[in-house]
Amino acid sequence: MQSETNSLPDEAISHLESAVFGPGLTTAQAEQQRRIFGTNELEATRRSPIFDSLRNIVTEPMFLLLAVACALYFFLGDLTEAMMMVVSILFVAGIELYQETKSERALEALRQYTRAQVRALRNGQWIALPSEDLVPDDVVAVEEGERIPADGVLLDQHDLAVDESVLTGESLSVEKTVQTKTPKQPEKESSATHLVLQGTTVASGKGVFRVTATGARSEFGKLGKSIESIDPEPTPLQVQIKRFVKQMSIIGGLAFVLVFALNFWAENDLWKALLFSLTLAMAILPEEIPVAFSAFMGLGAYRMIKFGILAKQPKTVESLGSATIICLDKTGTITENRMSVAEVADFSGQGRTLEYALWASEPEPFDAMEKAILEGQLAAISASTDSRADFRIIKEYPLSGRPPMMTHVWEKQGDQRTIACKGAVERILEVSKVSGKLREQVLAKTEEMAGQGYRVLGVASATFSGPDFPAEQGDFPWKLEGLVAFYDPPKENVSAVFKKFYKAGLRVMMITGDHAATAKNIARSIGLQGWETTLTGDEIMTLSESELRTTVQKTNVFARMFPEAKLRIVNALKANGEVVAMSGDGVNDGPALKAAHIGVAMGKSGTEIAKSAASLVLLKDDLGAMVTAIRMGRRIYDNLRKAIRYIISIHLPIVLVVLVPLLFGWPYTHMLLPLHVIFLELVMDPTAAIAFENEPAERNLMSKPPRPAHSTLFSSRELGFSLLQGAMITAGVFFMYYVAIAQGKPEAGVRSMVFATLVSANLFLTLANRSFDYALHRTLFYKNPTLPIILGISVVLLLAILYMPFLHDLFKMGVLSAADLGWCVLAGLVSVGWFEVWKAWREWRAQ
């Protein structure tokens, strides 16, 4: 779908005049090309999400058990129960299909948000449109940090270098040129300097190309390197859930054999024994757990979009709740990335420092510092037009080196030349060969400016004649001009955000390419803990792995950083057992973002490379959204924990009600039939995957420390508590079983009391497990519109089964008196209520 907006950043591509390329395709021409060539789609062909969901449902062990039980009823000639089983199977499948398709819609929405936007020339205007809408003959503009969306031929370029390692394996970027004449020997497509290829990334500069191939027809598509076709590895929590369900399936299989043997030995009825052993197997399988996990993660990631947070993969949601350290880039994350020239220090005596800084900038600046330089120079000379308009760049050296610098060579009419560079002060002093007292003065001034929180650049000029420019920019005969200081104010909410991070038990680190004094000043002003100590990238590279692991435990401010040093910090933190969130927006941040457990990119100011490498994108560039993301991640994990505790707790009494009377030879051994288990599944499935997923965050959620990365939802403590809850419910159910038998009730009457107690306990268990910290007098007022609906339907269905003649005959129930039903409800309340008393006592002690 084509966007009609023309709100692209003109300064980023205005030097690429559309007149050179024509008006581009018209809408009609683009549609015609799309009919011929299809969409620019690299991902593998998918089946319908509904088809996949149905396939998943019919291959589940629970569905297979239900199908076998249904077939047995038909075989035994019990058509009423068989048809009821068919209806129940369809109902269970419908609930699961609803849950899976809802999750799939959420995931599809995430995929829509993660699709890259490109700038294409359509109908004579530069517009933004999804990359898959590109067709051959489209004219596309790209710039530093963006991924090239299609194969094409360059029409214009400005210092364009492309990283083609994804196709060639070559780590060095390839400089691109516009082909001016036909070469004698045709170049290979993978190495031609006038061609750009889909899937590669712009390392530096800008360019415009005409699309020649898209999708599967591109070189990237032919090699089959589509990222979408690669199945992601399961997360630790997915592995835990899969292992637990597998273990329970094995236990269910063993229990099936045991119950079948005992039933057959006791009653010598093969089909009846098979039916009741199937009942036990269905009771043991916790098939709601993987369904709940998928729903929680998919819907959780989708909900984050409403808060301006894009979790590109649902597994990111799982990691957010355990993040222990947040490493923040300064510019654009902590600060506004809205710079102004604060001070200029001239050391040449000519007073042209700011002018030369402008000559060392892009013709159409889009970087915040270069914009500030242009505005400052125009204001200084009281002019409205750029004095470089009559010049053109004949040689450009991109930002490179450690610390970095960049150089431009301008020329006018072949006889007038201006050469200028700007970069880190240390590097400019080095290439200018400044020494002695002047060097001391420059460094002292740099420290003074940086101490005020300014970002400081050195500026130099050079003279050079002839066409044979030096291979390295540092080899020009540079002359120091002076220093330019910029002020980039911290964002208004950053101090408040930091306080929230600290309250949540998170450690915050600042990683920046700025001077150490600048970093320290900014860190102090925003309330970053540990701002007194700084470490530079060069110092980091001199440390051994063990030394670095020790150092990063006590240092929170890192200055003069570069990609290799950032990556070492992330790896050292991970080696220390920390769960690392790392923010960044530039091309060089890619490796560290990829290495971090949670890579965070800025949606507006971040490059495509950074957003591609990151797992989380803050769409509004608001650091406060990171607090929201962590809060939502913790909430989702907390609610999943509640759901799993609930599932395990309620499964235990169902299993024991089936198994214990049979093992001990009690009267009326067959308390629960397959139909009863199906009814309980109809209650438990939506409770676990819908009601608990909608639970709000608890008020103490962001005052707790992060959960340990190695924690599991199936630890001995978690399982022990779930089993304790289940054991108490079992005790309540068997108490009513004993009471019913003592009253001389027939089997149908005993079953009614057991079933009513079990369903009542399930309702109270749902309410009790809404919080592990706060008692019912608080949790009752939590806003969750789905919960009353699910609980209300459960109550209505229970009453219908007990008192509607057709249903209580079908479920083989006896009619309960109001007093009997009241005792059953009371037993269910007591069997769960102890947990509420315990929580209230803990609250009282805490206060």
Side-chain angles (χ1 to χ4, degrees):
M1 183 179 69
Q2 178 177 317
S3 170
E4 297 300 327
T5 181
N6 193 30
S7 60
L8 295 170
D10 294 334
E11 64 270 23
I13 56 174
S14 63
H15 71 288
L16 304 171
E17 294 293 339
S18 61
V20 177
F21 321 116
L25 294 178
T26 65
T27 302
Q29 289 171 332
E31 288 299 326
Q32 184 179 4
Q33 290 286 69
R34 186 174 292 107
R35 285 193 293 270
I36 297 172
F37 295 101
T39 61
N40 182 21
E41 204 51 72
L42 280 178
E43 62 185 64
T45 303
R46 297 181 185 176
R47 286 183 292 268
S48 164
I50 295 179
F51 176 87
D52 286 339
S53 298
L54 286 172
R55 183 192 60 182
N56 293 336
I57 290 170
V58 299
T59 55
E60 285 179 356
M62 176 62 74
F63 186 89
L64 297 176
L65 290 174
L66 290 173
V68 172
C70 181
L72 273 177
Y73 275 121
F74 274 113
F75 179 79
L76 295 172
D78 195 339
L79 297 182
T80 303
E81 291 210 20
M83 292 306 298
M84 190 64 185
M85 287 286 289
V86 170
V87 173
S88 300
I89 288 172
L90 293 175
F91 200 74
V92 169
I95 290 176
E96 292 201 16
L97 183 62
Y98 166 76
Q99 291 166 342
E100 288 212 20
T101 52
K102 188 176 180 182
S103 298
E104 179 59 35
R105 282 197 300 269
L107 293 175
E108 180 57 32
L110 291 180
R111 285 192 284 268
Q112 293 288 346
Y113 271 92
T114 56
R115 285 174 175 164
Q117 296 283 310
V118 298
R119 287 159 295 182
L121 194 59
R122 291 274 181 91
N123 301 315
Q125 288 187 317
W126 290 104
I127 63 168
L129 73 162
S131 59
E132 65 266 24
D133 283 358
L134 286 179
V135 294
D137 292 332
D138 260 327
V139 174
V140 179
V142 290
E143 63 185 43
E144 180 178 314
E146 294 183 347
R147 193 178 300 277
I148 293 175
D151 289 0
V153 178
L154 269 179
L155 303 177
D156 193 11
Q157 66 87 26
H158 185 69
D159 190 37
L160 183 66
V162 178
D163 178 358
E164 297 182 342
S165 58
V166 69
L167 293 174
T168 65
E170 175 58 53
S171 59
L172 296 177
S173 300
V174 179
E175 292 188 7
K176 294 294 181 178
T177 58
V178 177
Q179 189 176 37
T180 55
K181 59 182 179 180
T182 304
K184 294 180 180 179
Q185 295 293 332
E187 297 177 277
K188 294 182 181 179
E189 287 202 345
S190 60
S191 61
T193 58
H194 66 286
L195 300 178
V196 292
L197 302 175
Q198 182 166 358
T200 61
T201 54
V202 180
S204 63
K206 310 170 188 176
V208 170
F209 68 92
R210 189 178 300 279
V211 175
T212 58
T214 62
R217 293 179 173 83
S218 69
E219 290 297 304
F220 193 68
K222 290 175 185 176
L223 290 175
K225 290 184 178 288
S226 172
I227 295 174
E228 293 291 337
S229 66
I230 300 173
D231 292 329
E233 291 185 6
T235 67
L237 187 53
Q238 283 176 306
V239 172
Q240 293 169 21
I241 288 174
K242 186 176 181 180
R243 185 189 302 122
F244 179 76
V245 173
K246 183 179 180 180
Q247 290 169 346
M248 295 306 297
S249 299
I250 293 172
I251 293 172
L254 295 174
F256 173 86
V257 174
L258 174 64
V259 172
F260 175 78
L262 289 173
N263 261 290
F264 186 65
W265 178 75
E267 302 187 22
N268 199 29
D269 188 329
L270 175 66
W271 304 114
K272 194 173 183 181
L274 183 59
L275 194 61
F276 284 101
S277 56
L278 284 172
T279 303
L280 179 64
M282 285 189 288
I284 289 177
L285 280 178
E287 53 89 25
E288 304 93 344
I289 292 179
V291 175
F293 175 82
S294 299
F296 277 53
M297 297 302 156
L299 295 174
Y302 179 64
R303 280 201 178 98
M304 286 186 177
I305 295 176
K306 299 177 181 178
F307 293 91
I309 308 156
L310 174 59
K312 292 166 58 180
Q313 295 179 338
K315 68 179 183 180
T316 306
V317 177
E318 179 185 330
S319 303
L320 280 168
S322 57
T324 58
I325 287 185
I326 300 181
C327 302
L328 298 175
D329 181 36
K330 181 181 77 71
T331 305
T333 302
I334 294 175
T335 62
E336 295 279 2
N337 198 23
R338 179 173 47 83
M339 296 191 182
S340 58
V341 175
E343 187 177 350
V344 178
D346 183 76
F347 288 94
S348 67
Q350 298 183 11
R352 298 182 62 187
T353 299
L354 191 58
E355 181 184 351
Y356 276 114
L358 182 60
W359 287 106
S361 302
E362 295 293 338
E364 294 288 345
F366 58 93
D367 175 84
M369 280 196 298
E370 294 192 346
K371 288 180 180 178
I373 290 171
L374 177 59
E375 293 171 2
Q377 174 64 5
L378 293 179
I381 62 175
S382 301
S384 58
T385 58
D386 191 343
S387 58
R388 303 171 298 170
D390 296 332
F391 287 75
R392 66 185 181 91
I393 293 180
I394 60 172
K395 180 66 176 177
E396 182 170 1
Y397 297 85
L399 189 69
S400 61
R402 206 168 79 192
M405 64 178 287
M406 64 182 295
T407 300
H408 284 167
V409 180
W410 297 76
E411 193 174 76
K412 178 181 180 182
Q413 297 177 351
D415 60 355
Q416 189 176 345
R417 186 176 286 178
T418 301
I419 306 173
C421 73
K422 68 178 188 299
V425 176
E426 303 95 311
R427 183 74 183 283
I428 299 302
L429 289 176
E430 177 189 342
V431 298
S432 301
K433 298 179 175 56
V434 174
S435 60
K437 187 175 181 179
L438 178 58
R439 180 182 178 86
E440 293 176 3
Q441 291 175 344
V442 173
L443 290 176
K445 186 62 178 178
T446 302
E447 288 289 336
E448 177 192 326
M449 291 174 163
Q452 299 177 63
Y454 297 156
R455 190 170 186 178
V456 187
L457 289 182
V459 181
S461 63
T463 55
F464 190 89
S465 59
D468 299 326
F469 296 107
E472 300 294 333
Q473 57 182 324
D475 294 336
F476 281 99
W478 293 112
K479 174 190 174 185
L480 176 68
E481 292 292 334
L483 307 175
V484 180
F486 304 86
Y487 182 59
D488 183 12
K491 293 180 177 178
E492 289 184 4
N493 67 336
V494 70
S495 295
V497 169
F498 276 28
K499 290 178 182 177
K500 292 177 181 178
F501 284 148
Y502 292 135
K503 184 179 179 182
L506 299 170
R507 180 179 162 202
V508 184
M509 301 168 67
M510 186 172 78
I511 299 177
T512 178
D514 282 351
H515 191 282
T518 304
K520 184 181 290 189
N521 180 280
I522 293 293
R524 179 182 55 79
S525 68
I526 59 178
L528 191 146
Q529 295 175 1
W531 60 267
E532 301 89 351
T533 304
T534 62
L535 199 67
T536 67
D538 286 332
E539 290 170 335
I540 286 171
M541 301 306 289
T542 64
L543 299 175
S544 66
E545 292 299 326
S546 60
E547 289 173 334
L548 181 59
R549 288 181 59 179
T550 302
T551 301
V552 295
Q553 289 179 326
K554 54 188 178 184
T555 306
N556 289 338
V557 181
F558 298 86
R560 283 291 187 246
M561 295 298 291
F562 41 87
E564 297 86 351
K566 289 182 182 181
L567 187 57
R568 285 203 72 195
I569 288 178
V570 171
N571 288 334
L573 291 170
K574 290 168 66 178
N576 286 342
E578 305 285 359
V579 177
V580 184
M582 171 82 188
S583 77
D585 55 12
V587 177
N588 294 332
D589 293 320
L593 290 174
K594 201 73 174 177
H597 295 99
I598 309 164
V600 183
M602 298 295 144
K604 292 182 178 179
S605 61
T607 62
E608 286 299 324
I609 298 299
K611 287 186 277 190
S612 175
S615 52
L616 198 74
V617 181
L618 306 184
L619 300 176
K620 299 177 182 178
D621 288 14
D622 179 13
L623 186 59
M626 192 65 196
V627 178
T628 305
I630 291 172
R631 182 172 180 269
M632 293 186 73
R634 290 187 178 186
R635 167 191 164 273
I636 291 164
Y637 187 90
D638 200 41
N639 286 348
L640 181 62
R641 180 176 165 226
K642 296 173 185 176
I644 290 178
R645 268 203 191 180
Y646 160 80
I647 292 166
I648 296 173
S649 298
I650 197 60
H651 268 266
L652 181 64
I654 297 172
V655 171
L656 294 180
V657 166
V658 174
L659 187 60
V660 169
L662 180 65
L663 288 176
F664 293 98
W666 291 357
Y668 310 139
T669 55
H670 300 141
M671 284 294 94
L672 294 183
L673 306 175
L675 210 54
H676 303 136
V677 175
I678 290 175
F679 172 85
L680 292 168
E681 289 290 332
L682 293 177
V683 173
M684 291 187 296
D685 272 8
T687 302
I690 298 176
F692 279 113
E693 195 277 330
N694 278 280
E695 281 292 286
E698 298 199 59
R699 63 178 185 173
N700 66 340
L701 195 63
M702 289 299 284
S703 59
K704 295 180 178 180
R707 63 180 172 86
H710 59 272
S711 64
T712 170
L713 291 169
F714 305 100
S715 65
S716 56
R717 183 179 183 276
E718 288 290 329
L719 289 176
F721 202 93
S722 300
L723 294 177
L724 175 60
Q725 283 189 309
M728 296 298 288
I729 294 173
T730 304
V733 171
F734 278 131
F735 175 77
M736 294 310 298
Y737 171 88
Y738 172 80
V739 169
I741 291 177
Q743 291 176 350
K745 291 185 181 295
E747 181 175 358
V750 176
R751 180 179 292 116
S752 295
M753 294 190 73
V754 166
F755 187 72
T757 305
L758 189 56
V759 174
S760 299
N762 175 75
L763 299 177
F764 293 123
L765 179 68
T766 304
L767 294 173
N769 276 16
R770 297 184 75 188
S771 175
F772 302 142
D773 298 314
Y774 299 116
L776 192 64
H777 68 281
R778 295 187 190 275
T779 61
L780 200 59
F781 298 100
Y782 285 1
K783 292 182 180 179
N784 183 347
T786 62
L787 188 63
I789 296 172
I790 292 172
L791 295 183
I793 291 174
S794 300
V795 170
V796 170
L797 288 176
L798 173 62
L799 294 176
I801 290 170
L802 291 175
Y803 297 110
M804 288 181 65
F806 168 73
L807 287 178
H808 75 65
D809 288 344
L810 180 64
F811 279 79
K812 295 182 171 55
M813 296 284 184
V815 178
L816 294 180
S817 67
D820 285 341
L821 180 59
W823 281 110
C824 292
V825 173
L826 180 61
L829 174 62
V830 172
S831 66
V832 175
W834 66 270
F835 185 40
E836 289 299 317
V837 174
W838 179 69
K839 287 189 292 183
W841 176 74
R842 285 181 65 202
E843 277 194 78
W844 176 78
R845 281 196 64 187
Q847 293 173 0

